Amino acid sequence: MANTSVSPTQAAPFGPDQRRPAPGGRFAATALKLALSAAIAWLVLRRVDFGTVWPTLQAASTPAFALAFAAFLLVPLLGGLRWWVTLRGMSGQTGDVPARLAPLTLCFSLGCVAGQVLPALAGDALRATLAARHGQGMVTVVHSVVLERAFMLLALLALCCATAPGFATLAGAPSYALLTFALLAAGAAGLAALAVADRAGPALAALRLPPRLLAAVAALAASTRHLVLSPWAVALMALSLASNLNFTLAAALLARALGIDVPLWAFLAIMPAVTLASTLPISFGGWGVREGALVLLLGLVGVASGPALALSLLFGTFSLACGLPGVVLWALSRPRPQANAPLGNAPLGNAPLASAPLASAPLASAPLASAPKAA
């Protein structure tokens, strides 16, 4: 019987017509996100008492602000560590030399900034591009970004399930627990199915997918399986849970700085749901969705709309600002052209990332298009 499975090494580049969506489609998607963000913002802002927003900010405690920002600074540090662990778990399958933590953290920091002001995938695309430019194979980079995001989403859904009783009591939504459990089960099943997708040749062939897409799925499946079965998967899930809990801690500290008196258990019930809503690809960096969710849910515990909006705006601002130290370090690390060097030989900013290469990946010669389009 012929072997119908697809080898990851068969991944081939997409043609020019398959490599990227049509410009009109991308423009329509961007315009739709802008419209949705504006609509959500309008629904929220029309009910906000703006007269209380500025006094809330003026009365904030500076030391408490500094403590809250320290929690936000953990976001890129934890993100870089998650990415590093993901690549470590994949390294046995790809044959890559594991990347160094510091360069990955700098790339992740730049992605944090881009992800707050650009469409949802822009931050991930930026950090993947930077990592690939400094030695890591593009296929490996794309797979690692997809899998790191997948584990973060599964950890978030697990946290939503754990805090569902508190949320149901607070919001009067008993179906929330069933919804989050169903999403978690679907996510886990999807990850498991992806891990064996390259061994389901007949089933994939029945879908009549393009051969290059089948090869791309097979390559991602091999990376997924190797990571899930490695000891690093436990560390990655633990880090993902800690990262999601850090969002809750940061929001609670920020509320304390603003003088908003809300118990920690309420933030434990509210913030996973807010984070989950913010991950929906219907806005830029979660703006609008996050504000609407926080104003609505904090109102259930007696927080006025003005202070709730101030908290949400500062949460988004700090989420952007936490990546700026990494941006500064990256900019300062760029080598300066020698005064007498020809313009064509001037370096384009490959240190210290280049001086600490992420990896010499065998897959570096594989094109970006061999990765799934979903990445």
Side-chain angles (χ1 to χ4, degrees), residues 51-294:
T52 61
V53 174
W54 182 244
T56 300
L57 295 174
Q58 285 183 313
S61 167
T62 301
F65 257 144
L67 183 60
F69 189 64
F72 279 93
L73 287 176
L74 290 176
V75 172
L77 297 179
L78 288 170
L81 185 57
R82 290 195 313 270
W83 198 7
W84 179 80
V85 168
T86 304
L87 285 165
R88 292 285 296 188
M90 292 171 50
S91 61
Q93 183 267 332
T94 63
D96 291 355
V97 177
R100 290 181 58 179
L101 177 59
L104 287 178
T105 303
L106 288 181
C107 293
F108 194 94
S109 296
L110 270 70
C112 284
V113 176
Q116 287 296 316
V117 296
L118 296 173
L121 295 179
D124 289 336
L126 176 61
R127 61 169 166 135
T129 301
L130 290 173
R133 283 181 178 178
H134 296 93
Q136 188 74 25
M138 180 57 84
V139 172
T140 301
V141 168
V142 172
H143 291 181
S144 67
V145 170
V146 171
L147 293 174
E148 183 264 322
R149 286 301 189 191
F151 270 76
M152 272 294 284
L153 181 58
L154 285 177
L156 175 59
L157 290 172
L159 195 57
C160 287
C161 287
T163 58
F167 183 89
T169 301
L170 187 66
S175 60
Y176 176 78
L178 180 61
L179 174 62
T180 56
F181 180 80
L183 290 174
L184 177 60
L191 188 65
L194 178 59
V196 297
D198 59 333
R199 298 181 176 180
L204 286 178
L207 298 177
R208 299 183 180 277
L209 298 175
R212 289 166 180 167
L213 180 57
L214 288 175
V217 171
L220 179 59
S223 297
T224 303
R225 182 171 57 254
H226 197 86
L227 173 63
V228 169
L229 296 179
S230 73
W232 294 98
V234 177
L236 180 56
M237 181 56 69
L239 282 170
S240 299
L241 286 169
S243 299
N244 281 295
L245 284 172
N246 184 60
F247 293 142
T248 299
L249 174 63
L253 291 174
L254 195 54
R256 182 64 59 89
L258 292 172
I260 299 174
D261 187 15
V262 175
L264 181 60
W265 70 265
F267 277 106
L268 286 171
I270 289 173
M271 285 308 299
V274 172
T275 305
L276 183 61
S278 300
T279 61
L280 297 176
I282 60 175
S283 66
F284 288 87
W287 292 96
V289 176
R290 178 180 54 245
E291 283 66 43
L294 274 175

